[in-house]
């Protein structure tokens, strides 16, 4: 795209799909809004001219995004004269936040929503339950907060502890963490804040694994209640072996009550039910789980997770919601209406089934959100010199984020199932809002441009040039944005 020095100095992120400079600048801030059903969903046409500004869209989101572009275009008290025609390549443009390993709170979430909106991201995936913490107050289950929302200790800064071994115990800090959780009033406030920014919240309630904090509150929902004698969440990181007892009707009723409440509280169309990393060792030795396998005519322990997934996909659909889950929950016989969130780049085998990659899931007819760790996990290292922050591992420099193609590996006929992508902010090694911002920005800018422009993205050199200016815009807002290299 040939642009004038004026526009080069302004720098739009994400770059609009089509932009023509018509010459000169204007101070005329008068805006006319036009509705035209021919403009694609969330898209807009924007004309900035001497006689004022015209915004044309078919929906409120498009009008909002025209405003976002206008805010970036503004240079002092004038705008360059341009004609823009813009619409997103993908309808799912997400950012995820793990508030369980570490809790960030309402103000950080609001700032994240502000920044998401500035980058035309429209899905906030809120990871609210985990082995290490339960962060949502649920009516009728007061013990969840009493036992599940605080830990007596956490892994010390600079330490790695994942197994719960004796040596790991030496790496704990002995400092009480929490109780940290959201009340219904908090959640309603955040839902409204997100809605004003055209962001839909996707709450995540993990099942049947990653539920140790809930089991601390209600040990009777585990296969081996004695393992929960300490009545507190898991203290170290890593995957917990104690999971929901799927032979216990009361444990399933508990999850139904939680999800029924979540469906009523959150107005969005999708609820995430986790499904990743669920060990089966407790189910193997549990008389109740074995009785369930017999009663339901399941082949073996590997069929328990698909059985519970089928149950909750239908449960959510009866409440007008679509189920979303990490790629493991597509194992076995699961309805095509279930949406997959693909977090691995390649299929692996596991849990008695061949795991499906996101591309394979799309070929099978599932809608898929692509969040492969190699491109989208912002807890991986940025490869910056002297980076003061700690990462879980892996390497994910800015350029790799920008190189992400959600449809790579997906055959043409299945691409209609790729809803989009998302950056994931896991927080084992992310302690506070400064740490979080450093990891999110500028890499989220790169992914936002990928999700907005798809194949039409102009290339990393062009992006980096614009980012030099845009980073200043973020820093001026107090965002702890990392350097570009
Ligand atoms: C995941 O990273 N376990 C979804
Ligand atoms: Zn069991």
């Amino acid at each position: 795209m040939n642009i004038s020095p004026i526009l080069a100095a302004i720098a739009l992120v994400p770059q609009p799909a089509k932009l023509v400079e018509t010459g000169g600048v204007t101070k005329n801030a008068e805006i006319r809004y036009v509705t035209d059903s021919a403009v694609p969903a969330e898209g807009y046409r924007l004309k900035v001219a001497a006689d004022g500004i015209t915004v044309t869209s078919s929906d409120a989101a498009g009008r909002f995004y025209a405003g976002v572009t206008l805010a970036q275009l503004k240079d002092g008290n004038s705008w360059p004269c341009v004609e823009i025609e813009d619409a997103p390549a993908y309808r799912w443009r997400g950012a995820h936040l793990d508030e369980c390993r570490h809790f960030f709170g309402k103000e950080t979430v609001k700032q994240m929503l502000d920044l998401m909106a500035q980058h035309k991201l429209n899905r906030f995936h809120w990871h609210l339950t985990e082995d290490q913490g339960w962060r949502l107050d649920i009516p009728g289950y007061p013990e969840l907060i009493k036992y599940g929302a605080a830990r007596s200790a956490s892994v010390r800064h600079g330490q790695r502890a994942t197994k719960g071994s004796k040596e790991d115990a030496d790496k704990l800090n002995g400092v009480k963490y929490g109780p940290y959780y959201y009340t219904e009033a908090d959640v309603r406030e955040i839902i409204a804040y997100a809605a004003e920014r055209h962001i839909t919240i996707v709450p995540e309630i993990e099942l049947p694994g990653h539920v140790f904090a809930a089991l601390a509150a209600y040990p009777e929902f585990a296969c081996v209640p004695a393992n929960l004698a300490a009545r507190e969440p898991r203290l170290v990181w890593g995957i917990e072996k104690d999971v929901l007892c799927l032979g216990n009707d009361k444990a399933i009723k508990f999850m139904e009550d939680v999800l029924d409440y979540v469906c009523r509280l959150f107005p969005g169309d999708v609820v995430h039910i986790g499904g990743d990393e669920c060990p089966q060792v407790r189910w193997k030795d549990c008389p109740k789980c074995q009785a369930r396998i017999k009663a339901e005519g399941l082949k073996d322990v590997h069929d328990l997770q698909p059985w519970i997934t089928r149950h909750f996909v239908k449960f959510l659909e009866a409440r007008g919601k679509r189920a979303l889950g990490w790629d493991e929950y597509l194992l076995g016989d699961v309805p095509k209406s279930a949406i997959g969130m693909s977090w691995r780049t390649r299929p692996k085998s596991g849990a008695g089934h061949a795991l499906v990659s996101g591309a394979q899931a799309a070929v099978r007819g599932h809608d898929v959100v692509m969040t492969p760790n190699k491109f989208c996990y912002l807890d991986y290292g940025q490869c910056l010199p002297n980076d003061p922050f700690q990462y879980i591992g892996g390497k994910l420099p800015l350029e790799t984020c920008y190189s992400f193609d959600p449809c790579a590996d997906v055959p043409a006929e299945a691409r209609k199932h790729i809803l989009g992508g998302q950056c994931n902010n896991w927080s084992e090694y992310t302690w506070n809002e400064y740490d979080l911002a450093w990891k999110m920005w500028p890499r989220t800018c790169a992914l936002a441009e990928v999700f907005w422009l798809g194949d039409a993205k102009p290339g990393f050199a062009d992006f980096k040039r614009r980012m030099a200016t845009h980073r200043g815009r973020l820093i001026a807002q107090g965002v702890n944005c990392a350097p570009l290299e």
Side-chain angles (χ1 to χ4, degrees):
M1 202 175 289
N2 281 329
I3 52 170
S4 72
I6 300 172
L7 207 60
I10 287 173
L12 303 177
V13 177
Q15 178 69 32
K18 279 189 205 151
L19 179 151
V20 177
E21 286 188 270
T22 47
V25 298
T26 180
K27 289 187 170 36
N28 189 342
E30 202 170 306
I31 304 187
R32 276 186 301 279
Y33 291 103
V34 179
T35 301
D36 178 352
S37 60
V39 178
E42 302 184 282
Y44 62 93
R45 289 198 299 267
L46 174 63
K47 186 173 175 200
V48 179
D51 63 352
I53 295 165
T54 310
V55 170
T56 307
S57 69
S58 60
D59 58 19
R63 195 179 317 150
F64 178 78
Y65 291 138
V68 170
T69 301
L70 266 177
Q72 287 190 4
L73 271 175
K74 195 169 184 191
D75 184 17
N77 59 357
S78 66
W79 290 265
C81 294
V82 290
E83 289 185 14
I84 290 175
E85 206 175 316
D86 202 12
Y90 292 104
R91 62 191 137 128
W92 189 293
R93 304 180 302 281
H96 144 289
L97 182 63
D98 171 7
E99 290 231 69
C100 303
R101 275 57 175 263
H102 287 104
F103 182 82
F104 300 93
K106 241 175 8 183
E107 290 317 306
T108 300
V109 168
K110 285 183 177 175
Q111 198 199 21
M112 182 165 162
L113 292 167
D114 281 337
L115 292 167
M116 284 174 66
Q118 288 177 31
H119 296 83
K120 303 185 172 87
L121 297 176
N122 65 355
R123 294 272 177 176
F124 175 55
H125 172 172
W126 207 1
H127 188 79
L128 289 165
T129 71
E130 254 305 339
D131 290 324
Q132 292 86 0
W134 182 281
R135 306 290 177 216
L136 183 61
D137 191 16
I138 305 285
Y141 290 94
E143 315 280 79
L144 278 174
I145 295 313
K146 185 168 173 197
Y147 294 101
R151 304 188 285 262
S152 64
S154 306
V155 179
R156 261 198 302 268
H157 251 105
Q159 298 288 331
R160 300 197 164 256
T162 59
K163 297 212 166 19
S165 59
K166 224 169 163 0
E167 303 87 80
D168 276 357
D170 295 336
K171 296 176 183 165
L172 295 176
N173 61 9
V175 178
K176 187 173 179 206
Y177 191 78
Y180 295 127
Y181 62 95
Y182 290 103
T183 64
E184 180 169 323
D186 294 331
V187 170
R188 289 193 188 285
E189 185 181 328
I190 289 172
I191 289 169
Y193 197 87
E196 284 165 12
R197 288 153 184 79
H198 292 271
I199 295 169
T200 302
I201 299 188
V202 181
E204 181 181 1
I205 305 295
E206 280 261 24
L207 70 98
H210 287 279
V211 292
F212 197 75
L215 300 181
Y218 298 97
E220 63 269 33
F221 301 156
C223 296
V224 187
N227 291 350
L228 284 299
R231 305 295 303 272
E232 71 167 330
R234 185 178 166 90
L235 302 183
V236 296
W237 315 133
I239 302 168
E240 178 55 54
K241 290 195 180 78
D242 284 293
V243 302
L244 201 66
C245 176
L246 295 186
N248 183 343
D249 289 340
K250 286 189 182 142
I252 293 169
K253 173 72 167 51
F254 158 71
M255 272 301 172
E256 289 177 353
D257 289 346
V258 169
L259 284 168
D260 184 60
Y261 174 69
V262 163
C263 287
R264 286 183 284 112
L265 179 57
F266 288 89
D269 53 339
V270 175
V271 173
H272 200 303
I273 53 172
D276 59 321
E277 301 175 323
C278 183
Q280 300 173 347
V281 313
R282 299 290 183 256
W283 296 344
K284 270 191 191 125
D285 297 329
C286 172
K288 284 190 185 132
C289 286
Q290 290 303 321
R292 176 77 72 197
I293 290 169
K294 271 216 182 93
E296 294 293 332
L298 306 177
K299 197 161 110 278
D300 56 26
V301 78
H302 303 317
D303 281 349
L304 273 176
Q305 183 165 353
W307 172 76
I308 199 67
T309 302
R310 287 193 293 277
H311 175 78
F312 279 110
V313 170
K314 277 192 224 138
F315 182 89
L316 292 175
E317 281 174 0
R319 284 154 185 77
K321 309 286 187 185
R322 288 187 74 189
L324 170 63
W326 301 110
D327 47 15
E328 294 99 317
Y329 104 135
L330 297 181
L331 296 173
D333 178 19
V334 169
K336 294 290 176 282
S337 55
I339 310 171
M341 180 165 272
S342 176
W343 65 280
R344 300 178 219 226
T345 315
R346 288 178 202 294
K348 287 186 191 166
S349 64
H353 298 271
L355 275 182
V356 279
S357 68
Q360 286 169 330
V363 169
R364 287 184 190 183
H366 292 281
D367 284 344
V368 178
V369 179
M370 290 291 194
T371 68
N373 46 16
K374 244 170 69 170
F375 297 99
C376 299
Y377 272 36
L378 303 186
D379 58 339
Y380 284 24
Q382 302 194 60
C383 308
L384 300 169
N386 308 313
D387 190 328
F389 292 97
Q390 201 181 343
Y391 296 86
I392 198 163
K395 284 186 184 163
L396 181 49
L398 181 62
E399 186 164 5
T400 305
C401 288
Y402 196 82
S403 72
F404 179 42
D405 172 4
C407 282
D409 310 328
V410 183
E413 67 278 9
R415 290 188 175 184
K416 62 178 185 287
H417 287 300
I418 306 304
L419 301 182
Q422 180 175 288
C423 61
N424 289 344
N425 295 284
W426 298 106
S427 64
E428 285 95 330
Y429 297 94
T430 301
W431 275 262
N432 54 44
E433 65 269 36
Y434 306 106
D435 194 341
L436 175 67
W438 181 268
K439 288 168 188 163
M440 276 197 81
W441 311 101
R443 290 184 293 181
T444 300
C445 304
L447 288 166
E449 184 151 304
V450 167
F451 304 150
W452 187 263
L453 286 177
D455 289 343
K457 65 188 176 189
F460 186 65
D462 186 273
F463 169 74
K464 210 168 146 197
R465 176 189 59 73
R466 282 176 285 121
M467 269 315 298
T469 302
H470 186 63
R471 179 168 181 263
R473 201 177 269 143
L474 293 173
I475 286 173
Q477 292 179 69
V479 178
N480 189 27
C481 180
L484 303 181
E485 57 196 352

